[in-house]
Amino acid sequence: MNITTRLATQADIPACADVHIESCLDIYRPFISAEVHTKTLPDNLNAVWADEQLENGDFIVMAEDAGNTVGIVTVRNQSTPYIDHFHVTPARKSGGIGRLLMRATVTEMLKRGMDHCYLDVADGNDAALAFYKAMGGEIGEFIEGDLFGTPLRAQIIRWSDLLKLNL
Ligand SMILES: CC(C)(COP(=O)(O)OP(=O)(O)OC[C@H]1O[C@@H](n2cnc3c(N)ncnc32)[C@H](O)[C@@H]1OP(=O)(O)O)[C@@H](O)C(=O)NCCC(=O)NCCS
């Protein structure tokens, strides 16, 4: 494996969108209706990515293999920094790319003075939950959320001190 990581630029947005949409189609099918899966989900995400501007300190770390994007992490620069997307392309899951992305994202956050962060994960996405636990995430409370208009609980995961993480 010769995976590299780097910060995405605005020109990389379409490639990041492709990874995100392919991954969401792959994992969220059990949580939503066929109609939402085939239409609402891709329509919604295409619209979201068309508006992505990477402004105000938001950033995306991307993983590449021979020029192909194989994973993305989007960080929103909020008072508590928020990990908005964390996805590895489906065919490349469980091969260490997520860990590489986590390391690169934490390094970038610390460089920017961000020493804590959080995310939410759909209740039932057990593989991602196990991954975040393995990455030192602290399991938090459930919140009532929604997935492309379908009500769904999600669980908060926090990292309260990124300086102490040992990945
Ligand atoms: C969750 C995700 C980002 C993890 O990335 P990955 O490249 O698959 O994970 P890695 O191979 O780097 O795994 C690192 C560690 O996480 C844990 N882990 C990863 N996948 C796991 C799984 N399916 N079950 C249990 N533990 C898992 C293991 O401890 C693993 O360490 P090991 O390889 O030494 O056993 C990736 O699987 C993914 O994109 N999933 C679909 C999208 C998703 O659910 N994103 C989260 C939305 S909130």
Side-chain angles (χ1 to χ4, degrees):
M1 177 166 85
N2 187 20
I3 310 291
T4 54
T5 58
R6 68 175 173 88
L7 283 178
T9 66
Q10 201 63 33
D12 297 310
I13 294 297
C16 295
D18 286 350
V19 169
H20 185 217
I21 294 169
E22 186 190 3
S23 176
C24 286
L25 286 169
D26 188 51
I27 58 170
Y28 291 135
R29 178 66 193 95
F31 297 95
I32 53 185
S33 70
E35 191 192 341
V36 173
H37 186 256
T38 52
K39 178 137 179 59
T40 314
L41 185 160
D43 285 357
N44 181 307
L45 291 185
N46 277 310
V48 164
W49 281 99
D51 282 346
E52 181 62 74
Q53 291 301 325
L54 293 181
E55 288 171 334
N56 307 319
D58 292 357
F59 65 92
I60 299 175
V61 177
M62 54 196 292
E64 294 177 306
D65 185 358
N68 297 311
T69 310
V70 291
I72 60 157
V73 181
T74 303
V75 177
R76 303 292 176 199
N77 180 27
Q78 304 174 170
S79 52
T80 297
Y82 175 61
I83 295 183
D84 196 1
H85 316 122
F86 201 135
H87 292 262
V88 169
T89 204
R92 304 298 298 273
K93 289 197 296 191
S94 299
I97 294 173
R99 187 185 294 275
L100 274 182
L101 275 169
M102 186 73 193
R103 281 190 189 130
T105 301
V106 169
T107 300
E108 186 62 30
M109 283 196 282
L110 290 174
K111 206 191 284 183
R112 293 168 185 240
M114 300 169 165
D115 63 0
H116 63 301
C117 66
Y118 80 106
L119 55 74
D120 51 84
V121 57
D123 187 19
N125 188 351
D126 296 336
L129 185 63
F131 169 74
Y132 295 133
K133 279 184 187 168
M135 296 299 107
E138 303 140 27
I139 308 304
E141 68 278 16
F142 283 103
I143 55 168
E144 299 306 323
D146 86 279
L147 193 58
F148 309 105
T150 304
L152 186 72
R153 280 201 327 168
Q155 193 156 20
I156 301 291
I157 312 291
R158 293 186 176 83
W159 285 262
S160 51
D161 190 352
L162 294 173
L163 279 163
K164 287 196 182 136
L165 261 194
N166 184 10
L167 300 172

